């Protein structure tokens, strides 16, 4: 099949959507299918990219300089160019200019559209527009989501929890729950001693780790508060934060205000093929408390690499952590969360047990297994569609 992926974000922009698209594309390629990605131009070269990537002129977004907004003027031309080629399925990954391109191309060509609902927008509105009454923000998100989903052939959602959310919104577009998962062979290496040596971390120093975008919805403030409680008994404890994002400056300032400057290390984005794996392996406990995850891919990555986990379980993380042996679930209570982490830090044997269980837990999230379902969905939709318009 010829699959077109359309998104408002893709590498070098690092986030869960970019990672999911890359995983989809690698699995499709390895299964003998052809993939083309349409994404914003970030000014970086695509010379080493493993897929065909069509970059569209874009501009920076004032409140989020990491992201880009595809310029409207470029949309008509690219739609005309794409309409000259055959696509079995058009897969839309984000709801902004990419959605408009995908829907307009589908109308022009008669090809079916799949849209992944990656983001729990209702919680984002609460975080980024605190001045907006919550009830009004909820109504706006639900209206926007109903309109968006009514324009596509089929929805893909990563968890049953997200499917239930869309059902509550009154969305009737057919949908299938297909988690992206991770390519387990890509998360089987790593050397924690290498990371510790490179970053001047003593071999016996206890390390907590979180990985993700530095943004309000990731709830890193809560993890800093937990750290503040833990260092009272363990003043040498180190919290490594891997990621970048619009909230980085504020979080670094808050770290200093809390007197945790010697206990927090912001390491930025790491190369996913090497340095990130070493970083995971260097950690004694992986901590996570995001309220907005639709998948929680970093939890699966930590499991695969055998890092014991302490996390809240909300939305997608509740699905990932259900019945696992390699993680402990905590409420969003500083006391509860700190107690769970403290107990693991004090018990190397328990950490070792969770570490051994993690890779077994991760097997359920093998991307190859999940993508067989996505490929079957693509084939069904393509076969059921009217012949492509010429």
């Amino acid at each position: 099949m010829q699959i077109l992926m359309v998104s408002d974000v893709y590498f070098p922009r690092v986030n869960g959507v970019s990672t999911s698209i890359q995983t989809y594309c690698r699995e499709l390629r390895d299964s003998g299918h052809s993939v083309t990605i349409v994404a914003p131009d970030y000014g970086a070269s695509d010379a080493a990219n493993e897929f065909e990537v069509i970059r569209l002129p874009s501009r920076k977004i004032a409140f989020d300089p990491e992201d880009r907004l595809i310029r409207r003027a470029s949309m008509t031309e690219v739609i005309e160019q794409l309409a000259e080629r055959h696509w079995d399925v058009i897969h839309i990954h984000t709801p902004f200019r990419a959605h408009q391109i995908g829907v307009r191309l589908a109308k022009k060509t008669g090809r079916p559209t799949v849209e992944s609902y990656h983001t729990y927008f209702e919680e984002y509105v609460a975080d980024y527009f605190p001045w907006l009454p919550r009830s009004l923000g909820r109504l706006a998100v639900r209206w926007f989501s109903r309109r968006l989903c009514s324009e596509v052939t089929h929805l893909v959602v990563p968890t049953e929890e997200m499917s239930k959310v869309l059902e509550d919104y009154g969305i009737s577009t057919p949908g299938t729950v297909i988690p992206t998962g991770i390519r387990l062979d890509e998360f089987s290496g790593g050397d924690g001693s290498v990371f510790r040596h490179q970053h001047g971390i003593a071999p016996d120093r206890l390390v907590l780790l979180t990985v993700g975008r530095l943004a309000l919805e990731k709830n890193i403030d809560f993890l800093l508060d937990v750290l503040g409680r833990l260092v009272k008994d363990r003043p040498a404890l180190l919290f490594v934060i891997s990621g970048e994002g619009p909230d980085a400056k504020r979080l670094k300032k808050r770290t200093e205000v809390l007197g945790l400057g010697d206990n927090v290390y912001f390491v930025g984005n790491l190369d996913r093929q090497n340095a990130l794996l070493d970083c995971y392996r260097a950690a004694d406990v992986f901590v996570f408390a995001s309220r907005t995850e639709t998948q929680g891919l970093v939890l699966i990555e930590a499991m695969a690499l055998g890092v014991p986990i302490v996390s809240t379980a909300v939305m997608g993380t509740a699905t990932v952590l259900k019945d696992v042996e390699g993680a402990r679930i905590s409420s969003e209570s500083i006391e509860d969360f700190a107690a769970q982490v403290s107990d693991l830090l004090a018990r190397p044997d328990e950490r070792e047990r969770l570490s051994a269980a993690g890779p077994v837990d991760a097997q359920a999230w093998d991307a190859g297994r999940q993508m067989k379902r996505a490929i079957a969905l693509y084939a069904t939709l393509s076969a059921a569609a009217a012949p492509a318009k010429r």
Side-chain angles (χ1 to χ4, degrees), residues 331-343:
S331 65
E332 194 178 322
S333 155
I334 296 172
E335 294 289 345
D336 183 22
F337 204 106
Q340 297 271 19
V341 175
S342 182
D343 184 63

Side-chain angles (χ1 to χ4, degrees), residues 254-265:
R254 185 162 190 266
T255 296
E256 297 299 328
V257 170
L258 291 172
L260 297 172
D262 293 334
N263 300 95
V264 179
Y265 180 35

Side-chain angles (χ1 to χ4, degrees), residues 28-281:
L28 287 166
R29 175 201 60 199
D30 291 353
S31 298
H33 305 287
S34 177
V35 181
T36 298
I37 302 169
V38 175
D41 186 352
Y42 294 85
S45 171
D46 279 316
N49 207 299
E50 54 196 301
F51 313 107
E52 179 189 15
V53 181
I54 298 172
R55 297 288 184 180
L56 299 184
S58 60
R59 62 176 176 81
K60 290 185 178 180
I61 302 173
F63 61 86
D64 190 355
E66 285 184 302
D67 281 314
R68 299 290 185 272
L69 181 66
I70 294 171
R71 293 188 180 277
R72 188 182 297 275
S74 67
M75 292 169 56
T76 299
E77 182 179 355
V78 76
I79 289 169
E80 291 297 329
Q81 292 173 354
L82 294 170
E84 294 297 318
R85 299 169 62 177
H86 172 74
W87 308 105
D88 288 281
V89 171
I90 301 164
H91 192 148
I92 304 165
H93 285 270
T94 50
F96 306 111
R97 294 284 165 80
H99 174 86
Q100 296 170 29
I101 291 169
V103 168
R104 286 170 56 183
L105 179 62
K107 288 179 179 178
K108 196 173 188 67
T109 61
R111 305 317 297 152
T113 47
V114 172
E115 181 135 1
S116 285
Y117 203 103
H118 285 284
T119 306
Y120 190 22
F121 290 105
E122 198 165 309
E123 285 297 326
Y124 276 63
V125 169
D127 281 334
Y128 286 94
F129 304 97
W131 46 266
L132 185 68
R134 192 173 180 88
S135 58
L136 184 59
R138 182 180 293 116
L139 286 173
V141 166
R142 294 182 178 202
W143 172 84
F144 175 72
S145 296
R146 285 194 295 270
R147 191 193 72 173
L148 188 86
C149 296
S150 69
E151 295 178 330
V152 299
T153 311
H154 202 94
L155 298 173
V156 168
V157 291
T159 62
E160 291 289 351
E161 283 83 358
M162 199 66 234
S163 180
K164 182 64 167 59
V165 167
L166 298 187
E167 183 182 326
D168 291 343
Y169 286 178
I171 291 168
S172 57
T173 305
T176 303
V177 176
I178 306 178
T180 304
I182 67 170
R183 289 166 63 93
L184 294 175
D185 61 317
E186 296 177 3
F187 288 88
S188 59
D191 187 335
S193 63
V194 170
F195 181 85
R196 285 176 179 257
H197 177 73
Q198 290 176 340
H199 296 272
I201 303 170
D204 59 346
R205 189 175 187 182
L206 290 171
V207 173
L208 306 182
L209 170 68
T210 197
V211 176
R213 187 166 177 257
L214 303 189
L216 288 170
E217 67 274 9
K218 297 300 182 181
N219 205 17
I220 297 172
D221 282 295
F222 171 76
L223 297 178
L224 290 174
D225 291 335
V226 169
L227 179 68
R229 185 63 51 88
L230 290 168
V231 296
K232 293 178 180 179
D233 298 318
R234 298 181 181 277
L237 184 62
L238 181 65
F239 182 25
V240 175
I241 300 175
S242 175
E244 296 175 358
D247 206 27
K249 185 177 180 180
R250 186 192 67 82
L251 287 170
K252 291 175 182 177
K253 183 176 181 180
R254 185 162 190 266
T255 296
E256 297 299 328
V257 170
L258 291 172
L260 297 172
D262 293 334
N263 300 95
V264 179
Y265 180 35
F266 290 88
V267 73
N269 285 333
L270 298 172
D271 170 53
R272 291 182 59 81
Q273 293 183 325
N274 296 296
L276 182 60
L277 305 187
D278 294 341
C279 181
Y280 272 116
R281 294 285 195 186

Side-chain angles (χ1 to χ4, degrees), residues 263-333:
N263 300 95
V264 179
Y265 180 35
F266 290 88
V267 73
N269 285 333
L270 298 172
D271 170 53
R272 291 182 59 81
Q273 293 183 325
N274 296 296
L276 182 60
L277 305 187
D278 294 341
C279 181
Y280 272 116
R281 294 285 195 186
D284 295 287
V285 178
F286 185 86
V287 292
F288 200 65
S290 173
R291 304 187 189 102
T292 62
E293 300 302 298
T294 57
Q295 295 199 71
L297 293 175
V298 292
L299 290 172
I300 306 170
E301 293 172 1
M303 286 178 196
L305 289 165
V307 188
I309 295 167
V310 176
S311 176
T312 54
V314 183
M315 288 298 295
T317 57
T319 297
V320 169
L321 296 173
K322 185 179 180 181
D323 299 327
V324 302
E325 296 292 329
R328 289 188 174 185
I329 296 174
S330 169
S331 65
E332 194 178 322
S333 155

